[in-house]
């Protein structure tokens, strides 16, 4: 049953991602949805790249999660869709003139009475993650208080992982690889949600690695929410606490350390990061050299 659900969820997610990407491309080519200008950004090489991968991957992940079976397919699909929606809003509506980056930056703006699109995303993803957790968390604790703690733990995992995966979306394929790597233990167990991650990633990888498409906040947040949901709703309590500690630690580190620099300086991480990608651009190598002498803050949510 588990293997069947894994396969079905993977196929559904892959087909839905490819279908959505094609349909979105057709609509934009016709001038709908704001046209090319709305969906085109500049990548790390200074080349144009499309944001359409984000909503396409979100659609595929939600479809795969909905048929994944397991503990909480509805809650997982809801958390994924909400994270993708709030992330996409941030992608399209962000004020680039007064751009605030990083979780600390968005929370700081909130404390000053300013609600940035990133701040709205943080609040929206956090709230939807708690709702999904309240709906999907099975009652295994001995007391009502223990169940409330489980809900809070799972909500923090879903919301935190949604933000963390987004921090990896700085180079082609990196966020997809991170999501797949985090899902491998669940894939080996035949978990349906892991099948959805692998299916959507397989469909999106050619465009992402080929530097024609990017996940953006919408796709990366959705991917992270689904990765977090499979941990929240399938892992033992001790594993969930350990995972949350790791997620929080990495998010805190991202405010001080560049993930790109760390990856570039580690032989094995760099090989995994470059797998399937075009060779690094000369300008990228120059930035890496500069980063070795001056710390670079990694962009946040």
């Amino acid at each position: 049953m588990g293997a069947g659900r894994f396969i079905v969820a993977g196929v559904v997610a892959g087909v839905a991602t490819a279908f959505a990407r094609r349909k979105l491309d057709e609509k934009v080519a016709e001038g709908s949805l704001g046209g090319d200008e709305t969906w085109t950004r500049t990548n790390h090489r200074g080349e144009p790249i499309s944001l359409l991968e984000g909503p396409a991957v979100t659609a595929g992940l939600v479809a795969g999660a909905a048929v994944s079976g397991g503990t909480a397919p509805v809650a997982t699909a809801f958390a994924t869709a909400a994270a993708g929606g709030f992330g996409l809003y941030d992608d399209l509506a962000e004020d680039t003139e007064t751009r605030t980056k990083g979780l600390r930056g968005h929370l700081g703006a909130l404390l000053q009475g300013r609600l940035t699109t990133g701040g709205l995303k943080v609040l929206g993803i956090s709230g939807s993650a708690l709702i999904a957790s309240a709906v999907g968390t099975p009652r295994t604790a001995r007391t009502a208080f223990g169940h409330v703690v489980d809900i809070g733990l799972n909500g923090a995992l879903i919301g935190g992982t949604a933000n963390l995966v987004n921090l990896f979306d700085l180079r082609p394929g990196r966020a997809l690889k991170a999501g797949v790597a985090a899902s491998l233990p669940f894939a080996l167990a035949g978990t349906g949600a892991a099948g959805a991650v692998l299916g959507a990633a397989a469909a999106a990888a050619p465009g992402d690695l080929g530097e024609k498409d990017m996940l953006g906040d919408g796709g990366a947040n959705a991917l992270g929410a689904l990765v977090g949901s499979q941990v929240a709703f399938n892992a033992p309590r001790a594993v969930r606490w350990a995972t949350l500690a790791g997620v929080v630690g990495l998010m805190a580190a991202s405010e001080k350390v560049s993930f790109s620099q760390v990856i570039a300086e580690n032989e094995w991480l760099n090989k995994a990061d470059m797998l399937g990608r075009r060779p690094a651009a000369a300008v990228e190598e120059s930035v890496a050299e500069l980063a070795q002498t001056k710390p670079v803050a990694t962009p946040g949510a």
Side-chain angles (χ1 to χ4, degrees), residues 60-128:
L61 292 173
V62 171
V67 299
S68 64
T71 307
V74 174
T76 299
F78 169 76
T80 303
F86 283 111
L88 181 60
Y89 176 77
D90 190 27
D91 281 331
L92 300 181
E94 181 183 18
D95 183 357
T96 55
E97 293 184 2
T98 57
R99 200 171 189 182
T100 302
K101 298 302 292 181
L103 185 60
R104 183 171 58 183
H106 294 309
L107 294 179
L110 283 173
L111 292 175
Q112 296 172 7
R114 291 190 300 112
L115 180 60
T116 63
T117 56
L120 178 62
K121 183 184 73 171
V122 171
L123 293 175
I125 291 178
S126 298
S128 59

Side-chain angles (χ1 to χ4, degrees), residues 6-286:
F6 174 83
I7 294 171
V8 169
V11 171
V12 168
V15 170
T17 298
F19 178 79
R21 180 65 183 85
R22 184 171 67 253
K23 288 299 180 183
L24 286 168
D25 199 40
E26 291 174 359
K27 290 291 184 182
V28 171
E30 294 169 357
S32 302
L33 304 177
D36 280 331
E37 184 177 349
T38 299
W39 297 95
T40 301
R41 296 294 184 270
T42 302
N43 68 4
H44 67 287
R45 296 180 190 269
E47 299 172 351
I49 192 168
S50 175
L51 273 174
L52 291 174
E53 178 189 353
V57 166
T58 298
L61 292 173
V62 171
V67 299
S68 64
T71 307
V74 174
T76 299
F78 169 76
T80 303
F86 283 111
L88 181 60
Y89 176 77
D90 190 27
D91 281 331
L92 300 181
E94 181 183 18
D95 183 357
T96 55
E97 293 184 2
T98 57
R99 200 171 189 182
T100 302
K101 298 302 292 181
L103 185 60
R104 183 171 58 183
H106 294 309
L107 294 179
L110 283 173
L111 292 175
Q112 296 172 7
R114 291 190 300 112
L115 180 60
T116 63
T117 56
L120 178 62
K121 183 184 73 171
V122 171
L123 293 175
I125 291 178
S126 298
S128 59
L130 280 174
I131 292 172
S133 178
V135 172
T137 300
R139 182 135 192 185
T140 57
R142 295 181 180 179
T143 65
F145 176 74
H147 183 58
V148 171
V149 171
D150 272 347
I151 290 174
L153 167 61
N154 289 347
L157 256 178
I158 296 168
T161 308
N163 180 65
L164 178 61
V165 171
N166 188 38
L167 297 179
F168 285 94
D169 190 36
L170 296 176
R171 292 295 184 272
R174 184 180 292 173
L176 291 177
K177 292 173 184 176
V180 169
S183 300
L184 286 180
F186 298 96
L188 294 174
T191 304
V197 171
L198 269 61
D208 201 316
L209 291 170
E211 301 188 23
K212 296 179 180 179
D213 288 347
M214 64 179 287
L215 282 171
D217 286 6
N221 284 144
L223 176 61
L226 182 48
V227 170
S229 293
Q230 64 184 349
V231 179
F233 299 135
N234 293 283
R237 188 177 289 112
V239 173
R240 285 181 279 146
W241 278 113
T243 302
L244 180 59
V247 168
V248 171
L250 286 171
M251 287 195 297
S254 74
E255 298 287 343
K256 300 291 185 181
V257 178
S258 166
F259 284 179
S260 292
Q261 180 182 347
V262 172
I263 291 170
E265 293 175 351
N266 182 283
E267 179 183 358
W268 295 106
L269 289 178
N270 187 57
K271 285 182 177 180
D273 191 46
M274 293 303 301
L275 185 64
R277 286 177 51 188
R278 292 161 57 189
V283 65
E284 188 176 349
E285 293 170 354
S286 298

